[in-house]
């Protein structure tokens, strides 16, 4: 699956950013229509499909493909482009991948056993160049970064001053690691400052935060609070920032948010006080940040990533039941629609752009439980992708999970995340699956928990960092042995879930 997509990208699309799997050609920025932010936020004429795939090649153990890919990046990628891109997307897809690939060949040779002759930190130099080009976004009076920059000219207020919470709060891992590697505290400082500002903006009563913030008016344009699109990876990065860098403040903030999420967003499908919580399917509703009252009736596919956050937080039983909701939806549609209306029991936005969040959650639950059910789920995901998404020259977005009509686009995260997590799910002997000192960024790139990350603190004193033992998170011991060979949820729970989403079985 991965090689079919990757080889077709290299043969038909490279050095452009994405592959069009129907027309078998490449896609780059839409220069004729600058307002087409669906394309231009992501594509910067910097060979995105290649760069985003680098550590997938290393994880799969294909040393020669990885070495060839790195050489292509060194020889062809430049950020001196007349393109206005989104800071968030460029950070998680490009910056994160360059940093991971650099560390694979310089610091993580004990894991991947990959070295490059005559390597002179070119990937790190590219990452530094990109980071510098993103910094003008932070030249803002209220300390919140603008959503976009022009890679050549810097600060850009094109298409307004609206930024989502995730766009502000999902920079800390990549910016901090870049700062540590190049010895420049500015990257850490601006990312920390933005995180501090977000914390100040949460509602004092509910402890919740909104979705879309206006950096010009310094107010919330969209007060919806949820765990899905627009906010999702902010919560993820608070917890992972603590795990990676040992910042107690981020853990405290995450814990407060998690308590508020449970209090105001968690809703059960059946209003029955006599029904056990373990038999009652639940979802996390979108609510108003100031009141905690219901804001709308949909959940989105990105919220599946919160299952992984729950696992890292140690709320494993809840993660198992939460994952079951998305499994049911996958059975219903052979994909996850972008939005599903739980009240009407139908799609609200039927697009499926090959997103990885459900695959990631399935992989992480298998690592946490070793329950064979999740291998079965992975097979179902694989079969669906092969049946409904495979195209002439790659894998295509589904324009509708109902009609299964395809759209001529294969986003880079299909190779960098969807294929990566599926591969790791089934590669039981992969070195990463036997370790507990790596975490994935929100784009599926690797970061290693190490003394280097934890000792070189430029803002927080090392003495304030407690040691963190997370080895239990990736051990079968977290799941009681007497439950490892039976279904991960009760028959009554599954029957109630089937009714809740109107699944025909």
């Amino acid at each position: 699956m991965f090689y079919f997509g990757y080889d077709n990208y290299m043969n038909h699309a490279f050095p452009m950013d994405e592959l069009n799997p129907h027309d078998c050609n490449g896609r780059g920025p839409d220069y004729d229509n600058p307002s087409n932010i669906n394309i231009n936020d992501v594509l910067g004429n910097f060979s995105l499909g290649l760069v985003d795939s680098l550590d997938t090649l290393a994880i799969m153990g294909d040393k020669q493909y990885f070495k060839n890919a790195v050489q292509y990046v060194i020889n062809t990628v430049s950020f001196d482009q007349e393109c206005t891109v989104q800071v968030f997307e460029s950070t998680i897809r490009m910056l994160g991948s360059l940093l991971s690939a650099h560390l694979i060949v310089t610091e993580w040779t004990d894991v991947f056993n990959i070295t490059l002759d005559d390597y002179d930190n070119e990937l790190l130099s590219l990452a530094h160049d990109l980071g510098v080009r993103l910094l003008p976004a932070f030249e803002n009076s209220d300390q919140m970064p603008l959503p976009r920059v022009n890679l050549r000219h810097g600060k850009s207020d094109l298409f307004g001053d609206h930024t989502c919470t995730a766009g502000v709060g999902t920079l800390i891992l990549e910016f901090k690691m870049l700062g540590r590697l190049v010895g420049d505290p500015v990257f850490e400082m601006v990312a920390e400052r933005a995180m501090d500002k977000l914390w100040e903006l949460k509602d004092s009563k509910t402890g919740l935060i909104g979705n879309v913030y206006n950096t010009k008016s310094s107010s919330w344009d969209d007060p919806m609070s949820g765990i899905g699109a627009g906010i999702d990876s902010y919560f993820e990065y608070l917890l992972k920032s603590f795990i990676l860098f040992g910042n107690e403040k981020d853990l405290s903030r995450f814990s407060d948010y998690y308590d508020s999420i449970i209090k105001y967003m968690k809703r059960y499908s059946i209003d029955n006080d006599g029904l056990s919580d373990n038999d009652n399917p639940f979802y996390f509703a979108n609510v108003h940040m100031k009141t905690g009252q219901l804001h709308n009736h949909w959940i989105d596919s990105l919220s599946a990533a919160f299952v992984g956050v729950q696992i890292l937080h140690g709320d494993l039983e809840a993660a198992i039941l939460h994952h079951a909701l998305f499994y049911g939806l996958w059975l219903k549609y052979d994909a996850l629609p972008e939005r599903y209306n739980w009240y009407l029991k139908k799609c609200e936005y039927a697009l499926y752009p090959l997103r990885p969040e459900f695959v990631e959650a399935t992989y992480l639950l298998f690592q946490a439980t070793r329950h064979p059910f999740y291998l079965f789920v992975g097979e179902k995901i694989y079969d669906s992708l092969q049946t409904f998404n495979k195209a002439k020259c790659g894998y295509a977005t589904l324009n509708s999970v109902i009609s299964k009509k395809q759209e001529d686009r294969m986003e880079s995260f299909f190779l960098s995340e969807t294929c990566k997590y599926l591969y790791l799910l089934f590669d039981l002997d992969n070195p990463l699956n036997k370790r507990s000192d790596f975490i994935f960024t929100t784009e599926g790139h690797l970061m290693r928990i190490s003394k280097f990350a934890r000792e070189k603190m430029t803002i927080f004193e090392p003495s304030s960092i407690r040691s963190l033992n997370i080895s239990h998170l990736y051990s079968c011991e977290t799941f009681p042995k007497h439950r490892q060979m039976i279904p991960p949820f009760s028959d009554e729970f599954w029957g109630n879930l089937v009714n809740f989403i109107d699944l025909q079985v």
Side-chain angles (χ1 to χ4, degrees):
M1 178 179 286
F2 171 81
Y3 284 112
F4 185 70
Y6 180 81
D7 286 341
N8 273 294
Y9 166 78
M10 293 301 296
N11 291 332
H12 299 294
F14 176 77
M16 299 184 77
D17 290 307
E18 286 182 353
L19 170 69
N20 294 323
H22 287 174
D23 290 342
C24 301
N25 56 18
R27 180 196 298 256
D30 188 351
Y31 293 107
D32 294 332
N33 183 13
S35 64
N36 185 5
I37 58 176
N38 181 49
I39 297 297
N40 294 329
D41 272 357
V42 179
L43 311 187
N45 196 29
F46 38 38
S47 301
L48 172 62
L50 172 65
V51 175
D52 213 4
S53 301
L54 289 175
D55 59 3
T56 304
L57 293 166
I59 287 170
M60 293 176 68
D62 198 328
K63 298 179 182 180
Q64 194 56 55
Y65 257 60
F66 175 81
K67 291 178 180 181
N68 292 344
V70 169
Q71 200 58 54
Y72 280 127
V73 171
I74 292 172
N75 292 341
T76 63
V77 173
S78 169
F79 295 113
D80 184 22
Q81 305 291 340
E82 186 60 55
C83 295
T84 296
V85 296
Q86 193 182 76
V87 175
F88 165 74
E89 294 289 1
S90 296
T91 297
I92 66 171
R93 300 200 197 199
M94 293 294 293
L95 184 57
S97 184
L98 290 168
L99 293 174
S100 178
H102 166 74
L103 290 166
I104 284 170
V105 300
T106 58
E107 302 294 333
W108 303 340
T109 54
D110 61 316
V111 180
F112 296 98
N113 193 27
I114 299 176
T115 57
L116 298 178
D117 296 335
D118 302 320
Y119 179 69
D120 191 25
N121 296 326
E122 290 94 343
L123 296 176
L124 180 59
S125 296
L126 281 169
H128 191 196
D129 180 39
L130 175 58
V132 170
R133 293 174 187 272
L134 298 177
L135 281 178
F138 294 87
E139 298 171 2
N140 203 26
S141 59
D142 71 351
Q143 303 181 345
M144 298 278 274
L146 293 172
R148 298 173 181 86
V149 295
N150 184 286
L151 290 173
R152 182 168 291 167
H153 304 295
K155 186 175 180 180
S156 173
D157 53 9
L158 192 64
F159 316 121
D161 305 287
H162 314 283
T163 189
C164 67
T165 295
V168 175
T170 314
L171 311 174
I172 193 70
L173 298 191
E174 293 84 356
F175 269 59
K176 259 193 176 182
M177 187 58 72
L178 175 62
R180 305 292 170 83
L181 290 171
V182 301
D184 187 347
V186 169
F187 296 102
E188 181 170 349
M189 181 188 71
V190 296
E192 286 284 1
R193 190 173 63 184
M195 295 287 271
D196 290 342
K197 181 65 176 181
L198 276 179
W199 178 250
E200 293 173 7
L201 292 170
K202 69 180 179 63
D203 185 74
S204 58
K205 176 186 174 183
T206 65
L208 298 174
I209 195 163
N211 195 291
V212 178
Y213 183 77
N214 191 309
T215 59
K216 189 172 184 178
S217 65
S218 298
S219 62
W220 290 103
D221 283 346
D222 184 358
M224 185 192 82
S225 192
I227 61 165
I231 303 180
D232 53 344
S233 49
Y234 170 50
F235 300 135
E236 174 190 355
Y237 268 36
L238 279 171
L239 183 55
K240 289 183 176 179
S241 176
F242 166 70
I243 293 172
L244 186 62
F245 299 109
N247 186 352
E248 296 272 2
K249 181 172 68 174
D250 289 337
L251 176 62
S252 176
R253 290 175 176 178
F254 171 82
S255 297
D256 286 351
Y257 277 129
Y258 195 80
D259 290 344
S260 294
I261 288 169
I262 298 300
K263 180 177 181 180
Y264 292 104
M265 297 183 198
K266 188 175 182 180
R267 309 291 172 92
Y268 288 96
S269 63
I270 301 174
D271 187 12
N272 184 346
D273 292 337
L275 186 64
S276 166
D277 287 352
N278 288 333
D279 294 328
N280 197 349
F282 68 85
Y283 56 97
F284 290 99
N286 297 317
V287 300
H288 195 289
M289 65 175 289
K290 292 186 178 298
T291 65
Q293 297 300 307
L294 188 65
H295 195 72
N296 54 47
H297 294 94
W298 52 260
I299 56 176
D300 62 43
S301 61
L302 285 169
S303 60
F306 198 71
V307 173
V309 176
Q310 291 175 292
I311 296 169
L312 283 178
H313 187 49
D315 201 356
L316 184 58
E317 294 288 342
I320 290 169
L321 300 182
H322 191 199
H323 174 273
L325 169 62
F326 299 101
Y327 171 60
L329 291 175
W330 190 278
L331 290 181
K332 186 172 183 174
Y333 297 111
D334 279 292
L336 282 189
E338 286 287 82
R339 289 182 181 178
Y340 176 79
N341 190 306
W342 47 264
Y343 182 76
L344 299 177
K345 300 184 180 183
K346 66 178 185 179
C347 290
E348 192 160 304
Y349 182 22
L351 183 78
Y352 173 62
L354 301 166
R355 288 200 186 279
E357 285 75 17
F358 177 57
V359 187
E360 176 189 12
T362 302
Y363 162 66
L364 293 176
L365 271 176
F366 178 71
Q367 288 300 305
T369 67
R370 295 293 175 180
H371 199 299
F373 169 76
Y374 297 107
L375 297 177
F376 170 78
V377 176
E379 291 178 4
K380 177 61 178 173
I381 295 170
Y382 175 84
D383 289 343
S384 298
L385 292 171
Q386 288 289 93
T387 301
F388 299 108
N389 297 90
K390 192 171 184 180
K392 180 180 179 182
C393 295
Y395 289 82
T397 291
L398 290 183
N399 182 267
S400 169
V401 300
I402 299 172
S403 70
K404 302 298 188 293
K405 180 182 179 182
Q406 293 186 353
E407 185 176 304
D408 195 14
R409 187 177 188 185
M410 186 179 82
E411 292 221 37
S412 68
F413 51 64
F414 176 71
L415 299 178
S416 72
E417 297 185 83
T418 306
C419 290
K420 178 183 294 169
Y421 291 127
L422 267 179
Y423 180 84
L424 283 170
L425 175 63
F426 294 109
D427 187 15
L428 304 184
D429 294 324
N430 192 283
L432 280 182
N433 290 335
K434 299 180 179 181
R435 308 183 67 94
S436 60
D437 56 345
F438 281 91
I439 60 172
F440 292 99
T441 69
T442 199
E443 184 70 12
H445 299 306
L446 290 172
M447 295 279 180
R448 192 174 191 175
I449 305 162
S450 64
K451 290 182 178 180
F452 170 78
R454 293 195 155 208
E455 289 180 352
K456 294 194 174 185
M457 307 295 284
T458 59
I459 295 178
F460 303 99
E461 292 297 326
S463 61
S464 69
I465 305 167
R466 72 183 182 196
S467 61
L468 176 68
N469 178 9
I470 66 162
S471 60
H472 67 284
L473 295 175
Y474 295 96
S475 167
C476 294
E477 300 306 316
T478 60
F479 203 69
K481 289 186 179 299
H482 70 277
R483 291 188 55 198
Q484 289 181 18
M485 299 308 295
I486 60 176
F489 36 74
S490 69
D491 290 343
E492 186 172 1
F493 171 88
W494 181 244
N496 290 332
L497 179 61
V498 166
N499 291 331
F500 176 57
I501 63 174
D502 195 24
L503 174 64
Q504 304 299 312
V505 294

